[in-house]
Amino acid sequence: MSLSRRGILAAAPALAVAGAAQPGLAKRTLWMPPRTPDAHPAQQFLQLLIHQDEAHGEPFSAMIWVSGPDSAWYAVNSLSKGEYLTSNSGYKRQGYRLRRVSAFQTKEGVEFAGCWENAKGPDWHSRHSMTHAEFVDANTQFAAQGYRLAHVDARVGYAAIWERGDASTQRVLAGLPTAQYMQQYSELNAQDFHPVRISTAAVGNDTHYSAIFEKNDQTAWRAYHSMDAAQLAQASSSMTSQGFRMTDASGHMLHGKPNFTGIWTRA
């Protein structure tokens, strides 16, 4: 299902308040911050975090902010591999940029969700359905060619977006178990790096993390891990009251329950 930005924003309040099920959209929106005018324009994207086939028939989504002026975009959250490839190449030819891509294990097999924005920007490339080794190799090759990682999803295989830019100011973690990830997280924070994307996946009884860290540009930020739905909503409400926006979110099922991670930056 494809929707314009205004169309999906018009539908989102009904989902958040009433939990109404609509084709192609998650019926439960965990958090949708108020949209208010400010000096830092950003887009709101409804991002599917957990597919209904993974969560006992109840999908979960959240509204995230992506920096940029108001523009047209499409959000689709139920695409087969072939449909995703066709959509991605078609939207790119029309001047749309892939902003988010996620893969989910469904009853129909692996399906994809994506957000494309009609906006100008640096040259970009994307890959999907990569193994850990293929992702690490691709990231190394793109960095050597002058590209930096803009997005990664590691739920079902690795899907990623690279944009033309300097990769030396970022650090990338891929598929780390919780203990190892938290150690790297602390060490990178001490070196003044902060996370801009965290993707989680259940591996056995543990959560594995893939993430993009950027050298801190004095942006105020907060990141929280291993939250249930109520904790995520509470964190979002608290962060919004302090002038922060949710700029990234990830979710997966662990021990039969939803588990979420979120990043907030000051508007």
Side-chain angles (χ1 to χ4, degrees):
M1 181 177 183
S2 298
L3 294 173
S4 68
R5 186 192 66 80
R6 290 180 178 81
I8 202 167
L9 286 178
L15 303 179
V17 175
Q22 297 188 21
L25 291 177
K27 71 176 182 180
R28 182 173 180 184
T29 300
L30 296 176
W31 179 249
M32 188 177 68
R35 186 176 177 87
T36 56
D38 55 54
H40 305 283
Q43 293 273 36
Q44 286 176 299
F45 289 82
L46 181 63
Q47 181 170 315
L48 182 64
L49 303 182
I50 300 179
H51 192 277
Q52 63 183 19
D53 290 352
E54 301 172 321
H56 316 298
E58 181 178 24
F60 294 87
S61 65
M63 295 297 291
I64 63 169
W65 295 81
V66 175
S67 296
D70 191 19
S71 61
W73 60 275
Y74 289 93
V76 191
N77 67 0
S78 185
L79 292 169
S80 67
K81 182 177 179 179
E83 291 170 336
Y84 166 72
L85 285 171
T86 298
S87 297
N88 193 36
S89 59
Y91 287 142
K92 188 172 186 177
R93 286 194 300 270
Q94 296 174 47
Y96 285 78
R97 306 179 64 80
L98 181 63
R99 288 294 200 174
R100 293 288 190 277
V101 55
S102 300
F104 303 90
Q105 189 64 56
T106 77
K107 295 177 182 178
E108 304 299 326
V110 176
E111 293 194 351
F112 293 84
C115 290
W116 291 265
E117 181 187 12
N118 189 355
K120 295 181 179 180
D123 186 35
W124 63 275
H125 297 281
S126 61
R127 298 285 186 274
H128 67 281
S129 301
M130 294 178 287
T131 64
H132 178 274
E134 288 171 338
F135 167 69
V136 172
D137 184 58
N139 191 52
T140 300
Q141 290 187 27
F142 274 115
Q145 296 169 24
Y147 289 82
R148 65 201 323 272
L149 188 62
H151 177 77
V152 62
D153 180 84
R155 295 171 42 87
V156 182
Y158 285 79
I161 307 167
W162 290 268
E163 295 182 346
R164 176 73 68 180
D166 182 11
S168 67
T169 61
Q170 62 180 197
R171 298 292 182 269
V172 176
L173 307 181
L176 299 185
T178 300
Q180 188 176 352
Y181 165 76
M182 293 309 299
Q183 180 180 352
Q184 289 290 309
Y185 178 88
S186 297
E187 292 178 359
L188 287 170
N189 284 347
Q191 298 170 33
D192 208 25
F193 284 87
H194 66 103
V196 295
R197 169 61 178 163
I198 302 173
S199 176
T200 62
V203 179
N205 294 320
D206 193 17
T207 296
H208 282 207
Y209 293 84
S210 298
I212 306 171
F213 286 75
E214 298 282 0
K215 192 68 174 178
N216 200 344
D217 57 1
Q218 306 306 311
T219 298
W221 63 275
R222 298 286 188 279
Y224 296 100
H225 305 78
S226 300
M227 297 176 287
D228 61 25
Q231 290 170 329
L232 176 58
Q234 182 179 11
S236 295
S237 179
S238 175
M239 289 292 95
T240 298
S241 69
Q242 298 175 53
F244 287 80
R245 291 170 170 167
M246 179 187 286
T247 52
D248 182 73
S250 182
H252 66 283
M253 298 296 289
L254 186 66
H255 306 303
K257 298 180 180 180
N259 185 290
F260 302 100
T261 296
I263 302 173
W264 290 262
T265 57
R266 192 178 293 281

